[in-house]
Amino acid sequence: MTRLLCVGLATVDLIYSVDRIPGVDEKAQATGFAVAAGGPAANAAVTAAALGTDVTLVTAVGAHALGDLIRADLQNHGVRVLDVSPDSSAPPPVSAITVLTGTGQRTIVSRNAGDVLVRVPQEGLPDADLTLVDGHHPALAVAAARSARRLVVDAGTWRPVFTEIFPFAEVVAASAAFRHPAEAAPTDEALAAAIGAPHVVVTHGPDPVRWFSDPQSGTIPVPPVAAVDTAGAGDAFHGALAAALADADLPAAIDTAVHVAGVRVMHAGPRAWLAALPRRR
């Protein structure tokens, strides 16, 4: 079984379903509510575990009562958790997410890791066949990048630490909205050139995914689906991509990830969709 190490952010997600997004000084009655562990690395880890991958998440949770929720949810979904801040009394990051009923569009308010500082364990990080980092907790991200056998980077939003991580990456997966300071122009080609990794993947929501493996490039179509809930779809894509890269080339791995993300958006809530995934053996 492939051993995947996910390194990055874990949060408590408070997820509300609403019929309309309230304006300034307005209120809206939620039609549904869920609580789950969230964060790019954590959601990717849950996805990969659901696909049959052996997954360890390295993150900062702490001793606060809210941390117990994160640990319980991840462990219930097959993710081994290595907490690098087990004695911290500070609450973990909390995200408030609203999902618009009918379209699945989401709005997120989060402080992410904020100014939380974590240290790399003295014994180092666990060995793995492949490592996924999301750029949160920079010290951990750099240590993971340097020690990784194969590195996949979830480039969600530009972070200065990416300048230290990208040189170690085999695959960098970014969205079309990602902006690298060295980009010559806002195009996929310019983004891939600025990132400089051997393989760069650029997602476009419901539009085809583009990939660049110099000198080759290509597109992977995204089958149309009825979107119910888009929260965490990108994280699901990254987790599935990392899991699939263990035994597939890049285009095939992207195709797998596209279909997994499609399953995610067709189901409401943070975890119910996992039951619809085909388990890899």
Side-chain angles (χ1 to χ4, degrees):
M1 182 181 292
T2 301
R3 296 169 303 164
L4 174 63
L5 187 67
C6 294
V7 180
L9 185 65
T11 67
V12 174
D13 283 358
L14 309 178
I15 306 146
Y16 299 88
S17 299
V18 296
D19 291 328
R20 67 178 183 87
I21 303 296
V24 176
D25 206 27
E26 289 185 340
K27 297 180 180 180
Q29 182 69 35
T31 58
F33 175 71
V35 181
N43 283 332
V46 168
T47 301
L51 292 169
T53 304
D54 181 279
V55 185
T56 298
L57 172 67
V58 182
T59 188
V61 179
H64 191 278
L66 286 174
D68 293 337
L69 187 153
I70 294 174
R71 275 185 288 270
D73 185 42
L74 293 174
Q75 290 168 359
N76 285 343
H77 289 90
V79 176
R80 191 180 303 108
V81 179
L82 174 58
D83 184 4
V84 297
S85 301
D87 300 322
S88 174
S89 61
V94 177
S95 297
I97 302 170
T98 56
V99 179
L100 189 60
T101 303
T103 68
Q105 295 169 301
R106 84 282 192 272
T107 303
I108 302 173
V109 177
S110 177
R111 193 165 180 264
N112 293 329
D115 54 2
V116 175
L117 297 178
V118 302
R119 295 180 179 178
V120 180
Q122 289 185 346
E123 65 275 17
L125 299 176
D127 189 29
D129 301 302
L130 191 145
T131 300
L132 170 70
V133 301
D134 64 10
H136 292 273
H137 302 309
L140 281 180
V142 172
R146 289 176 174 171
S147 63
R149 296 183 182 182
R150 302 177 65 190
L151 180 67
V152 177
V153 180
D154 167 1
T157 301
W158 170 256
R159 303 180 188 284
V161 72
F162 284 147
T163 60
E164 298 181 69
I165 294 173
F166 284 169
F168 296 95
E170 176 182 330
V171 178
V172 174
S175 75
F178 181 82
R179 289 291 174 265
H180 191 295
E183 275 185 72
T187 65
D188 292 347
E189 290 80 2
L191 176 59
I195 289 173
H199 308 284
V200 176
V201 178
V202 185
T203 60
H204 293 261
D207 295 323
V209 177
R210 298 195 66 189
W211 58 269
F212 299 87
S213 300
D214 192 37
Q216 297 181 317
S217 65
T219 60
I220 303 295
V222 176
V225 298
V228 174
D229 184 350
T230 61
D235 305 336
F237 177 91
H238 296 131
L241 179 69
L245 282 170
D247 51 20
D249 62 15
L250 183 63
I254 294 171
D255 186 65
T256 295
V258 162
H259 284 83
V260 169
V263 174
R264 168 65 193 100
V265 303
M266 288 190 293
H267 295 79
R271 298 288 182 254
W273 71 280
L274 297 171
L277 287 178
R279 187 176 178 84
R280 297 170 67 241
R281 300 188 184 277

